[in-house]
């Protein structure tokens, strides 16, 4: 009996490009009996996108946090793929990379997995999602964004509906300069694209013998901070668990006494603060917050990217009883702490 390799589709794209939305839009278009597992690599320590993904028709969602699996977390990615193979026997695995992943390095690692497992896996395609509204800005400053657009089987143009034809032409010119041969497909809003356009490609990108040797120092582009309102005990526990965070405590109160977690923000105050966030140095804010709604206490998933945000109701259990806000902020290294300061002061948040 011929062994059938599990095809792996890798989604890359800069922070906030809309990778999760595109992935979830594919699922309803697949056969009902198709078993797809998502392996996600997220910044920070909050599983925001996975909470949304778990409400979909995915067979399972696996998570790798606090690092990039194309460099420092290589072993975790390999172990996760083996576990997915053995536990779920999926028809397809989708890997959603962090915003700073080098796709060439991931392609090389998957090919290694193919050889080491005797053909249990195969790299089907690498897909790069582009945020048309902001690409011209972050492409100028991010070597990783250029690499993602250069090394890919298909480029998906997302969020193009909100910009002018002239602005879209500029984005396309940039993309053609970086990668003139790769197909470029516009997403249909939240409907994404048809699976047939990105599945079954059988990528040959890995045949570039030098691609995997590129230096993965790209992680230095993005700074990650945790924004928190909760008890001192929870804070100390978090600090002990996440040594990779910048631990400077920047709260207006005393260092040993955080704002009472029972003090809740009004939902309209939260939305006002999200609206005022600037996107020059702050690129993503996501996490969980407990607020005072119109009639009751409510818990929301916060998903903010480059000036756009969504609040999605969630179960209260995503936050501990002694914590009312846990957000991960991502942005320009060296500038993020300053840029997020007024947001934190307005919501009385500590920066971990």
């Amino acid at each position: 009996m011929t062994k059938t390799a599990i095809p792996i589709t890798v989604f890359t794209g800069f922070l906030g490009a809309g990778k999760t939305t595109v992935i979830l839009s594919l699922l309803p278009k697949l056969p009902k009996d198709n078993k797809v597992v998502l392996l996600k690599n997220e910044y920070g320590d909050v599983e925001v996108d996975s909470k949304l993904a778990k409400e979909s028709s995915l067979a399972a969602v696996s998570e790798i946090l606090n690092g990039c699996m194309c460099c420092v977390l290589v072993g975790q990615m390999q172990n996760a793929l083996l576990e997915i193979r053995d536990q779920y026997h999926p028809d397809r695995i989708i890997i959603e990379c962090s915003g700073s992943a080098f796709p060439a390095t991931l392609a090389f690692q998957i090919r290694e997995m193919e050889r080491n497992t005797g053909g249990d896996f195969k790299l089907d395609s690498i897909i790069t999602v582009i945020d048309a509204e902001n690409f011209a800005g972050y492409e100028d400053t991010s070597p990783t964004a250029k690499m993602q657009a250069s090394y890919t089987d298909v480029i998906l143009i997302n969020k193009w509906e909100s910009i002018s034809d002239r602005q879209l032409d500029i984005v396309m010119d940039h993309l053609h300069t970086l990668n003139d041969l790769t197909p470029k497909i516009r997403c249909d809003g939240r409907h994404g694209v048809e699976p047939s356009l990105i599945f079954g490609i059988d990528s040959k990108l890995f045949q570039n013998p030098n691609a995997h040797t590129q230096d993965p120092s790209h992680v230095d582009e993005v700074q990650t901070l945790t924004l928190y309102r909760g008890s001192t005990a929870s804070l100390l526990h978090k600090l002990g668990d996440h040594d990779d965070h910048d631990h400077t405590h920047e709260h207006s109160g005393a260092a040993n006494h955080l704002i009472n977690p029972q003090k809740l923000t009004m939902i309209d105050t939260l939305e006002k603060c999200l609206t005022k966030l600037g996107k020059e140095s702050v690129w993503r804010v996501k996490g969980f917050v407990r607020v005072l709604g119109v009639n009751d206490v409510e818990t929301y998933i916060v998903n903010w990217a480059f000036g756009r945000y969504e609040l999605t109701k969630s179960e209260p259990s995503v936050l501990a009883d002694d914590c009312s806000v846990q957000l991960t902020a991502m942005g320009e290294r060296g500038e993020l702490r300053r840029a997020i300061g007024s947001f934190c002061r307005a919501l009385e948040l500590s920066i971990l």
Side-chain angles (χ1 to χ4, degrees):
M1 183 175 177
T2 304
K3 179 190 291 188
T4 301
I6 302 170
I8 297 177
T9 304
V10 178
F11 278 79
T12 69
F14 201 65
L15 294 167
K19 298 184 291 293
T20 303
T21 301
V22 171
I23 291 168
L24 296 183
S25 74
L26 293 166
L27 303 179
K29 303 171 186 175
L30 297 174
K32 296 292 185 183
D33 59 348
N34 208 255
K35 189 183 295 184
V36 180
V37 174
L38 173 63
L39 174 58
K40 282 183 60 63
N41 183 199
E42 290 210 59
Y43 281 107
D45 51 10
V46 287
E47 303 176 1
V48 172
D49 293 334
S50 291
K51 291 291 182 184
L52 298 173
K54 286 171 183 175
E55 298 175 6
S56 70
S57 58
L58 286 162
V61 180
S62 183
E63 193 86 37
I64 298 178
L65 300 174
N66 279 316
C68 184
M69 62 185 172
C70 74
C71 48
V72 297
L73 301 182
V74 172
Q76 287 190 38
M77 185 194 78
Q78 294 172 345
N79 291 338
L81 288 175
L82 293 173
E83 183 177 328
I84 289 169
R85 177 199 64 184
D86 297 340
Q87 185 171 352
Y88 299 105
H89 309 288
D91 296 298
R92 178 175 300 276
I93 297 173
I94 294 176
I95 297 179
E96 181 183 345
C97 303
S98 71
S100 69
F102 268 9
T105 313
L106 285 170
F108 176 73
Q109 291 171 16
I110 294 168
R111 290 289 294 171
E112 284 279 284
M113 291 284 291
E114 180 180 337
R115 288 189 287 270
N116 294 339
T117 60
D120 285 352
F121 304 95
K122 73 170 183 178
L123 175 64
D124 184 13
S125 58
I126 292 179
I127 310 298
T128 297
V129 181
I130 296 297
D131 172 3
E133 190 174 2
N134 296 289
F135 182 73
Y138 62 67
E139 183 256 349
D140 286 340
T141 58
S142 172
T144 307
K146 293 179 181 178
M147 184 61 63
Q148 291 168 343
S150 301
Y151 190 91
T152 183
D153 292 293
V154 176
I155 295 174
L156 299 182
I157 313 297
N158 203 18
K159 305 180 185 179
W160 57 272
E161 301 92 339
S162 60
I163 62 176
S164 67
D165 291 343
R166 173 59 181 156
Q167 289 172 309
L168 182 58
D169 287 342
I170 292 172
V171 171
M172 298 304 293
D173 287 344
H174 281 240
L175 292 174
H176 287 312
T177 300
L178 291 169
N179 192 337
D180 61 336
L181 298 178
T182 295
K184 300 164 184 69
I185 303 170
R186 297 187 196 183
C187 293
D188 181 15
R190 289 191 169 275
H191 297 291
V193 294
E194 289 300 314
S196 60
L197 296 175
I198 58 176
F199 291 163
I201 290 178
D202 194 17
S203 176
K204 300 297 186 292
L205 290 172
F206 60 84
Q207 293 179 349
N208 180 346
N210 299 316
H212 67 275
T213 63
Q214 293 155 348
D215 178 17
S217 59
H218 55 283
V219 293
D220 288 335
E221 290 179 22
V222 180
Q223 184 175 9
T224 303
L225 297 172
T226 294
L227 317 180
Y228 191 75
R229 183 198 293 158
S231 72
T232 303
S234 292
L235 170 63
L236 294 175
H237 177 72
K238 286 181 64 60
L239 290 178
D241 284 348
H242 303 296
D243 291 334
D244 57 321
H245 280 302
D246 180 349
H247 292 169
T248 304
H249 184 66
E250 276 194 17
H251 184 68
S252 56
N256 63 352
H257 179 71
L258 297 187
I259 289 292
N260 184 342
Q262 301 306 317
K263 179 178 179 181
L264 301 179
T265 301
M266 299 293 291
I267 189 168
D268 57 346
T269 301
L270 172 64
E271 293 195 84
K272 182 178 180 181
C273 291
L274 290 170
T275 301
K276 288 184 175 180
L277 264 177
K279 63 182 183 179
E280 288 74 21
S281 298
V282 183
W283 301 330
R284 285 295 307 274
V285 176
K286 59 183 180 178
F288 310 109
V289 59
R290 193 170 285 131
V291 300
L292 284 174
V294 177
N295 299 312
D296 201 359
V297 175
E298 299 172 330
T299 304
Y300 284 91
I301 298 171
V302 178
N303 205 338
W304 182 99
F306 287 98
R308 297 185 179 195
Y309 74 88
E310 290 184 346
L311 298 177
T312 305
K313 278 193 175 182
S314 183
E315 67 275 11
S317 60
V318 296
L319 285 171
D321 291 340
D322 58 356
C323 171
S324 58
V325 180
Q326 184 180 349
L327 301 170
T328 296
M330 291 151 278
E332 183 180 358
R333 180 164 296 278
E335 294 295 325
L336 176 61
R337 183 176 290 275
R338 174 198 57 76
I340 204 73
S342 59
F343 176 83
C344 293
R345 288 189 293 273
L347 295 177
E348 300 182 88
L349 307 180
S350 297
I351 301 179
L352 278 64

